[in-house]
Structure formats: structure tokens, C-alpha cells
Amino acid sequence: MKKIIVILAALSCIGLLTNAGLPEKGPRPEIRPGKSITAEPTPGLPPKPEPKPERPDTETPPVTQPPSGSSPPLEKQGPKLPSQQTLEEQHLTIAPESDAEHSECVKELQALGVVFKDISRIDDGNGCGIDKPIKVTEVLPGIKIKPDAVFRCPVALGLARWMKESVIPAARVAAPDQGSIVGINQASTYICRLRNGAETGKVSEHARGNAIDIASFSFEKGKDIAVQPRREDSTLIGAFQRTVSSAGCLFFTTVLDPESDAAHETHFHLDVLERKGGYRYCH
């Protein structure tokens, strides 16, 4: 009898649970402070994209055309670089020479037997010229320079020392059958121009009386020894030219030989340009 009562009670509970239902709407969530609830999109329709913010105009504004018949505005140009300037545009001046230094240089030339004379100051304008020029006819006793050379005294002094201490000894070894050197054939000394005869750029050291170009050496017998490309010349003459070219840097601050560039394939360029720190350029 007790078992029947328990079973009936259990069936009653199941019936009550079965009839019980969930509420149609659940509790609505509370809104957090500072936030708003966005309406949900209508089911079945794609969400509508929000418009993009306008982009600030960063492009260059269109060029306004000048009125018909008017001239276009001129473009502003900055100053020319030194490499773009002509000799006239550089406004150069002739470097003054110390009387004491010139006098000392002249004494050294006289001691070496250089044949020369002082000539009047040269001023060809635009910075071309020599304050205290000299004209040399013999670089050492018995060794003429053809044609006569005009430059500053330090060039003549460097040339005489180079010939005495390097060129003459090297020639005795390289060309003993040709006798002594009797002449130097120069291609250029003083001349008013820019480097390599260009229309613009730096002034040539020739225009300041600081340089000489040597084309060949003349001997008592035999042919002249011409200055020409000899890097691959395995003869004694090739060795002679390379030797005197290298030694030139002991007496000049700049030495350019036929191996340096096309502008110097036929001569040595020797000059006494003073650079910062005593720097020398030799090629």
C-alpha cells in the first residue's frame, strides 16, 4: 500500500513539471553607464555600411594658367656652383708674392746655374697673371728649355732639382748611348685658361704661373724621348719614364703623367699648387 502511494506522488510531480513552461521573455540586461544600445539590423537585410570620413586634400592644387597673352613667370635660379662658372664669373685675383721668399728662391736658382731673368708683372685680368714672374732659358747649365718658359720662381726651382737629382741620373742608365740631355721641350707654361681648357670650372695652375707641361727630352745623340703612355713598355725607356714620373712628386705637389687621363697622354703636368696639410697628388 505504501509503494502505491509513493508511485502516485511521483507521477503527480512529473505532471506538474511537464505543464510548467519557461517565460516568453527573459530578463532584459541593464545598460552600462556611458554606452548606448545599437538597434539590431532587420533580419534578412545586409547591414548598411557607414559613410567613410572625408579625406583632407593633400594633393598639389591645380596650376592656374596665366591670362592669355601674358608672359609666364620666370623660375628662380640659385647661384652657380664653381664647376659651372666661367673664368669671368669667378672674380679671381692674382696672388701676391713675398719679396723675401722670391729673393731666396732666386738665390737658389743662381746657385744651381739656372739661366733666367725677372720680367714685369703679368696681369691678364680675371685673376690670370703672376706677381713676380721669371723667364727661363736653361733649366740647368747646358740644358735649354724650348720655347723659353715663363712661370713663378718655385716652378723653376722644382724643375732644376728634379732634372739634377732624378732625370739626368735615370737617363744615364736608360739611354747611355745617347749622351747627355741637352734640352727639354715644353708644351705649356703660363697661359690664361681654366683646367684642361674647359669653358667652366676651376682655374688652371698654368694661369697662375705654377705649372709646366713637358713633352719630351732631347739628347746629344739619337732621337728625343717623348712622353707617352708607357705603362706596358718593358724597355729601359719605359722604365725611365715611370721612374722620373714617380720622382717628380718629390719636387712638385702635382704630377700628372700619360696614365692619368686622356688630357695628359702626351706630356707630364708638373705644378706647385699648395694644398692643406702639404697634400700632394701624383699619378
Side-chain angles (χ1 to χ4, degrees), residues 166-195:
S166 176
V167 179
I168 292 174
R172 287 173 182 162
V173 176
D177 56 336
Q178 292 188 218
S180 301
I181 294 178
V182 295
I184 294 176
N185 302 300
Q186 58 99 351
S188 178
T189 52
Y190 170 75
I191 183 172
C192 183
R193 63 173 174 82
L194 298 179
R195 292 183 182 179

Side-chain angles (χ1 to χ4, degrees), residues 214-217 225-230 241 257-258 264-268:
I214 296 177
S216 63
F217 302 93
I225 294 181
V227 179
Q228 61 189 42
R230 295 185 186 275
Q241 179 173 299
D257 64 16
H264 298 89
E265 286 187 343
T266 59
H267 61 273
F268 290 133

Side-chain angles (χ1 to χ4, degrees), residues 12 37 46 66 76 214:
S12 298
I37 297 178
K76 293 183 179 180
I214 296 177

Side-chain angles (χ1 to χ4, degrees), residues 31-246:
I31 300 174
R32 291 185 180 179
K35 287 193 177 182
S36 61
I37 297 178
T38 304
E40 295 181 0
T42 305
L45 295 177
K48 188 176 181 181
E50 295 181 3
K52 293 183 179 180
E54 293 185 3
R55 182 179 179 182
D57 185 9
T58 58
E59 297 180 1
T60 304
V63 178
T64 304
Q65 297 295 332
S68 178
S70 64
S71 300
L74 297 176
E75 294 184 3
K76 293 183 179 180
Q77 295 182 351
K80 289 183 180 179
L81 298 173
S83 60
Q84 300 172 325
Q85 295 177 349
T86 64
L87 185 60
E88 292 78 8
E89 292 172 328
Q90 296 183 45
H91 306 294
L92 303 172
T93 58
I94 298 172
E97 296 186 67
S98 161
D99 290 338
E101 290 179 359
H102 181 72
S103 178
E104 184 63 29
C105 181
V106 164
K107 289 179 182 178
E108 293 188 59
L109 291 184
Q110 292 170 339
L112 288 167
V114 180
V115 179
F116 70 98
K117 65 177 181 179
D118 289 303
I119 59 177
S120 301
R121 186 177 189 269
I122 299 173
D123 186 352
D124 289 330
N126 300 314
C128 291
I130 309 174
D131 189 27
K132 293 179 170 55
I134 64 172
K135 178 182 285 188
V136 176
T137 54
E138 292 187 16
V139 297
L140 285 174
I143 302 179
K144 296 184 179 298
I145 185 165
K146 299 178 182 179
D148 295 349
V150 175
F151 34 48
R152 293 178 56 237
C153 184
V155 179
L157 185 57
L159 185 60
R161 289 172 172 172
W162 177 59
M163 289 295 298
K164 181 178 181 179
E165 299 180 30
S166 176
V167 179
I168 292 174
R172 287 173 182 162
V173 176
D177 56 336
Q178 292 188 218
S180 301
I181 294 178
V182 295
I184 294 176
N185 302 300
Q186 58 99 351
S188 178
T189 52
Y190 170 75
I191 183 172
C192 183
R193 63 173 174 82
L194 298 179
R195 292 183 182 179
N196 298 326
E199 294 183 0
T200 59
K202 293 184 177 181
V203 67
S204 170
E205 290 308 305
H206 288 280
R208 297 184 177 279
N210 284 335
I212 180 173
D213 292 343
I214 296 177
S216 63
F217 302 93
S218 296
F219 291 78
E220 290 178 310
K221 299 175 286 183
K223 297 180 179 180
D224 292 354
I225 294 181
V227 179
Q228 61 189 42
R230 295 185 186 275
R231 179 176 293 171
E232 305 301 329
D233 187 345
S234 58
T235 67
L236 279 172
I237 300 304
F240 164 76
Q241 179 173 299
R242 293 190 294 273
T243 298
V244 299
S245 175
S246 297

